[in-house]
Amino acid sequence: MRLRQWIAIGIVVLFANRHGLGLEPTTAFQAFVQKQGLQLRSNDPPAASLDDWNRRRTTLRKTMQELLGGFPATDCDLTPRTFGEFQRDGYRVEKLAFQTRPGVWMTANAYVPGKPGRHPAILHVHGHWKGAKQDPVVQARCIGCAKLGFFVLCVDAFGAGERGIEKSLGQYHGEMTAATLLPVGLPLAGLQVYENKRAVDYLLTRPEVDGQRIGITGASGGGNQTMYAGAMDERLRCVVPTCSVGTYQSYLSAACCLCELVPGALRFTEEGDLLGLAADRGVMITSATQDAYQFSVGEAQKTFARLEGIARLFPQAKVRHTIIESPHAYNQAMREAMYGWMTLHLKGEGDGSPIPDPDIRPEDPEMLRCFPGDSRPDDFVTIPQFAAAEARRLLQQSAAAAEDRSTRETARVDQVAKLSKLLGGFPSATPLQLKSERDLSGNRQILTYQAESNMTLVAHCDLAEKPHRLAMVLDLDGGADQAWSSDMAKRLRSEGWAIVAPELRATGRFANAGDKIGNAVDHNTAEWAMWIGRPLLGQWVYDIHRTLDAIQELHGELPNDILIVGKGSSGVVALCSTALDERIKRVTAIDSLATYVTDRPYRGFRLGLMVPGILKEFGDIPEIVSLIAPRSVTIQGGQRGDGDALDQSQLEQTFRSTQRVFDQLDADNRFLLLKASQ
């Protein structure tokens, strides 16, 4: 490690001790979001009566559907297709697929009891088992239910099993794959809820199924889907989430899959009230004693207490919390508990006590596939392809609407308000509590200041008393020290700029320990931010705003000429900050994300750049840049979401609408598109 890096680390530690930051830099952001989450849900009163709860449940279900991205007004035809079947002792297995949205196919297996007649049915959602519906752990509960007389439908979730990006089994549908859905306002959790609704639609087409007796169960991510589908679809008469129930607040202490994320949920509710939407329909929560914190017995008990209070408002309602000595699983004891509960609520038999496993012999996973090996059609729609098609549709709509705007200034005010809201809104300014000292070498100032309550930031600055020109250099990865001493900063100094380099929350040395999951370097912090309804991009923009406030307080005023420069992910932060803060007169984005639209998973960019619904409610990155006009913008190179560089022609095509705005304002010389940096 270089000497200056050791010095910089020493500076941060020194300032943390001297100025009472109070927390390890790597845990500060987690503590911040946890406190925010507690404040959001600290005053939730219990339902006072059944009438009170019925009023609440209507609002809650409507709000939850909005948070999940909404459902199509009209369902497409299911158009089911079969791919063969085979017979086993006491049941047969069908391989099938049906259409959930136009051109989107859900692969599934039906386990049909051998006894003729109409049967109660159970929808099985798999969770994070590598083989999805084909996995032996998932097969086991399907076979057990079929042998006990239930019609079983087991489905592959979007992006998993036979529905991955590639044709092989075992792919993961989370992190930067599922992230492609966020800008279009259709989080994976919501897509899966709607697809499970379509699975129930399919069950109702089967003559072997009694449509009044349908249940749902799953574990892990499948347990989350069980909870949401049970809450949103009243046709499900028995709901058994396994190894999945805890609290939303506990997610702010853990990593979770993007298929479990409901952006902004903590602004409106907690899991207890969500499950309360199914309280009159036989809910059993199953918890494992050795599970992760977010699914732990203790957290589940908080939710169950809330659920139980709601259930008491309904005559005859039955809810149960089953606790099993086990790690995270869907094992024999859990299966047997589920059999008993489903038998009570869907057959009207027994008292809900566990029923022993029948003889279970799982199949070779290939035996269950609709498309064995690499036989899946090449045009099979994957998550990023679906997201890209939806993005293009939304942008075509917004382009048409733009033609109808009466004046640009009215439209700009409206767009600024929309973007600010999508970024989570900005808190009222609180005292900065600004402190300034020289670093150990005497070559720079180190500022510490409160961006907002419980969120301390650090910025490295040149020593000019009152700079005439100020350039803010961003580096989300290397942080303030690397940005302050970078080649870019050196070049700007040689041109007469004073440099300020802020260490933004959850970045640099403030990055959360263990944050990286797969290709998402800021996976957990980005998710935590979305749970509380404040995407990281919005929080970073606010940090930029407060950094300028700190410079103004330090010197008594700001210079008239302020530039902000960012590369890669930092470039998007720079562009958004400039769009929403007119004190910034110039911006340069280098090799940055040029568009949220991608038909492949994001690569090389931060999850924190994702803003749920931005393409649906506002527009793309070129629309963000258009808000800056007529101030100066330089775009040096640009990249697709998958990390591939755009050539000059592609860059010009991407920003064609932006160029038109600058032209209309006679500011075409203030918008520069340059070739990529070397």
Side-chain angles (χ1 to χ4, degrees), residues 59-86:
T59 301
L60 179 55
R61 186 173 280 125
K62 179 177 182 294
T63 300
M64 186 56 63
Q65 185 165 321
E66 291 171 355
L67 295 178
L68 291 168
F71 302 151
T74 304
D75 297 329
C76 70
D77 291 338
L78 291 166
T79 321
R81 302 165 57 192
T82 58
F83 299 88
E85 63 178 59
F86 54 87

Side-chain angles (χ1 to χ4, degrees), residues 300-382:
Q301 284 173 334
K302 297 174 186 177
T303 286
F304 183 74
R306 187 82 174 186
L307 168 66
E308 195 172 33
I310 296 168
R312 290 194 190 104
L313 302 174
F314 293 92
Q316 310 301 319
K318 294 180 181 179
V319 295
R320 178 178 293 178
H321 188 192
T322 297
I323 301 170
I324 293 174
E325 184 67 34
S326 169
H328 191 77
Y330 206 137
N331 56 27
Q332 180 177 348
M334 296 169 181
R335 292 196 300 268
E336 292 177 345
M338 178 266 294
Y339 300 151
W341 195 251
M342 291 286 187
T343 296
L344 170 63
H345 288 277
L346 299 183
K347 293 184 179 181
E349 300 172 4
D351 61 1
S353 298
I355 293 175
D357 243 345
D359 179 43
I360 293 174
R361 298 180 183 180
E363 307 289 338
D364 181 325
E366 285 295 304
M367 188 74 177
L368 295 171
R369 298 185 66 176
C370 299
F371 307 109
D374 61 355
S375 64
R376 192 183 75 183
D378 291 338
D379 61 354
F380 195 90
V381 176
T382 65

Side-chain angles (χ1 to χ4, degrees), residues 36-54:
Q36 293 259 308
L38 286 172
Q39 290 171 344
L40 287 169
R41 301 270 54 86
S42 61
N43 296 311
D44 286 347
S49 65
L50 184 56
D51 286 343
D52 179 30
W53 172 245
N54 283 334

Side-chain angles (χ1 to χ4, degrees), residues 264-278:
L266 262 168
R267 286 194 169 189
F268 298 98
T269 194
E270 253 290 359
E271 286 191 26
D273 281 9
L274 176 69
L275 269 173
L277 295 176

Side-chain angles (χ1 to χ4, degrees), residues 4 483-495 499:
R4 66 176 177 81
W484 187 84
S485 56
S486 65
D487 290 341
M488 172 60 70
K490 292 174 183 176
R491 182 175 69 79
L492 289 168
R493 284 190 190 95
S494 71
E495 297 172 0
I499 303 299

